Amino acid sequence: MGIAWVLFGALIGVSAAGRRGFGTAAGVIGGMLLGPLSILMYFASGDRVKCPQCAEWIQKKARLCPHCRSSL
């Protein structure tokens, strides 16, 4: 059962890393270390993206970056 959680966490980590723009290896390692917690983090963090100008995390619905004030 423990191995299944590790593998499932790794798959969630890869998916989250791809969605966030991180490398696959970082996703696998992070998912394996977090295990079942990675599932909760995946679904809880779905409403934020990086600003294309300053690369800070902002709300997906934002029209103006609160960090660099660029129009999105």
Side-chain angles (χ1 to χ4, degrees), residues 5-71:
W5 276 117
V6 169
L7 292 175
F8 190 65
L11 290 174
I12 293 292
V14 168
S15 178
R19 200 169 81 171
R20 294 289 184 182
F22 295 113
T24 303
V28 169
I29 293 168
M32 288 173 64
L33 291 174
L34 294 173
L37 184 60
S38 65
I39 299 165
L40 296 174
M41 291 176 65
Y42 179 78
F43 289 114
S45 66
D47 62 340
R48 300 187 72 175
V49 295
K50 282 190 175 183
C51 171
Q53 299 297 320
C54 68
E56 291 289 334
W57 290 105
I58 59 173
Q59 295 293 322
K60 191 181 273 188
K61 296 178 183 179
R63 295 185 183 194
L64 183 71
C65 177
H67 304 283
C68 68
R69 301 288 184 204
S70 67
S71 169

